[in-house]
Amino acid sequence: MRTSPESAGDILDAGAPGLARLIDLVQSLHTLGLESGCCVADVRARYDEERALSLPALADDAVTTRSLATSLGRRTDEQRRLLQQLDESWDGSAADRARAELTTTVRAGVALCASLTDLAVALESAATAIAAALREKARVVGDLAERAVDGRTRDEIDTIVAGASGGPHGPSPEEHARWFGDPPGSNVGDPPGSNVGDPAAECRRWVEERLVPAVRDAVAVVLGACEEAGHRIAGTVTDLATTTERVAEGAGVAVGASGAGTVAPVVDDGTMRHGPSDPPNQGALLTVPGIRPGERRREHASGPVEDDHRQDENDAGDAGVVLAEAGPL
């Protein structure tokens, strides 16, 4: 059973804790009246800009395209066998015309099958490359969730930020002394924290000198990761578009060539590419030039053919009748 690939949103969710942590710090700085160098909404929008990409749709298109290539390959192989039977059982100018038309059709089928396989590979590669770019972005941003600043852990940073605002949840005297040290002029042997001057001012100084630059660096990390992912994804989409255009042009040439004149016979060297599976009832019936749709289902006559119903060997109608009687192509 084929499992569906992760969506772009699922991949980006892995980095959401780091983004949320950065946004919390930015909002805290803004509350303290300090400039972080970014807008929260802009950072969040930049990180989420690829959420609308549908990786499962790309993967499904790749599977469908490969199935079409498989079905077409099998149909072309069948026509190749009919062409070999035609070589062994029918001679004359009408046979030559039918052989040339069927050979051209087979060659067009081989070319179209190769083009569809190339497109399936391109779709698979695109889905894989885009997912890889998003995972790398999510990893880089996710690492910000527990990043320390100046040796301070996440919880310690939050305590210092609370202290900078003058709230009741700032550092204790012991924490203050351990993190910032006693101010100059304090007496040796005094209890830790007993000589603390203005705790809120010292916390704010640390925030300004240590946390603000760290937050700005983190913002740069996020934007850099977004820029790199966007560049990689844009390159992947460009490559896919180029392949699609080339396949479309090749398919048009192949279909157009199916009505061309005599070409060299197709050699069955076993190298034609098929997909890994051939789901039932897929693939359209290839039209063989020179055969009218009604003649495809013409039944064999129960008795001998009357002389006045026979056509001259040079009549192109014989090609349609004989190929129709050989069975659906």
Side-chain angles (χ1 to χ4, degrees):
M1 181 177 179
R2 186 172 65 89
T3 58
S4 298
E6 285 185 284
S7 68
D10 290 338
I11 296 174
L12 291 175
D13 284 345
L19 182 66
R21 174 58 177 170
L22 176 61
I23 288 174
D24 286 345
L25 291 176
V26 168
Q27 290 174 334
S28 295
L29 295 183
H30 291 175
T31 299
L32 292 172
L34 300 175
E35 177 58 50
S36 65
C38 78
C39 172
V40 168
D42 290 343
V43 173
R44 183 183 287 116
R46 188 68 186 276
Y47 181 75
D48 288 337
E49 62 187 350
E50 292 95 6
R51 281 187 180 272
L53 292 177
S54 181
L55 298 181
L58 275 178
D60 288 343
D61 288 346
V63 171
T64 300
T65 304
R66 192 173 289 278
S67 295
L68 288 173
T70 299
S71 297
L72 178 59
R74 293 182 183 277
R75 184 69 65 182
T76 304
D77 282 346
E78 180 183 355
Q79 291 193 330
R80 192 196 305 267
R81 288 191 295 270
L82 289 175
L83 179 59
Q84 292 172 343
Q85 294 174 10
L86 184 63
D87 287 338
E88 298 169 357
S89 60
W90 193 16
D91 293 320
S93 58
D96 290 340
R97 288 194 298 272
R99 187 180 298 112
E101 291 180 346
L102 186 54
T103 297
T104 302
T105 299
V106 170
R107 292 189 60 165
V110 170
L112 184 56
C113 180
S115 294
L116 288 173
T117 302
D118 288 344
L119 181 57
V121 171
L123 288 166
E124 293 164 351
S125 299
T128 299
I130 292 173
L134 294 178
R135 287 193 183 95
E136 177 61 14
K137 179 168 82 166
R139 183 194 67 77
V140 171
V141 176
D143 287 346
L144 298 175
E146 300 297 332
R147 176 176 288 189
V149 176
D150 192 33
R152 303 277 73 83
T153 66
R154 175 172 178 159
D155 289 342
E156 290 171 344
I157 293 170
D158 290 342
T159 300
I160 294 173
V161 170
S165 65
H169 303 296
S172 66
E174 292 77 11
E175 290 173 329
H176 194 283
R178 187 169 65 252
W179 295 344
F180 307 120
D182 288 325
S186 59
N187 298 319
V188 177
D190 288 343
S194 61
N195 295 308
V196 173
D198 184 354
E202 294 199 40
C203 288
R204 184 179 179 89
R205 184 181 306 112
W206 184 91
V207 169
E208 293 175 347
E209 296 177 355
R210 298 287 187 267
L211 185 58
V212 170
V215 168
R216 288 176 177 168
D217 289 345
V219 171
V221 167
V222 172
L223 296 180
C226 293
E227 183 71 21
E228 175 64 19
H231 179 74
R232 291 173 59 183
I233 292 171
T236 297
V237 172
T238 298
D239 291 343
L240 178 58
T242 300
T243 300
T244 302
E245 291 174 0
R246 185 174 65 250
V247 168
E249 292 173 359
V253 171
V255 172
S258 65
T262 302
V263 294
V266 175
V267 178
D268 189 1
D269 57 2
T271 61
M272 188 175 71
R273 290 176 288 178
H274 292 172
S277 62
D278 187 21
N281 300 325
Q282 289 197 10
L285 186 66
L286 288 179
T287 301
V288 178
I291 299 180
R292 293 184 294 276
E295 293 175 331
R296 290 186 180 277
R297 293 182 290 273
R298 179 178 295 179
E299 299 179 355
H300 290 282
S302 58
V305 179
E306 297 295 333
D307 290 342
D308 58 350
H309 288 169
R310 293 174 182 160
Q311 294 177 315
D312 183 77
E313 179 181 72
N314 292 327
D315 191 337
D318 281 343
V321 174
V322 172
L323 289 178
E325 293 177 350
L329 301 181

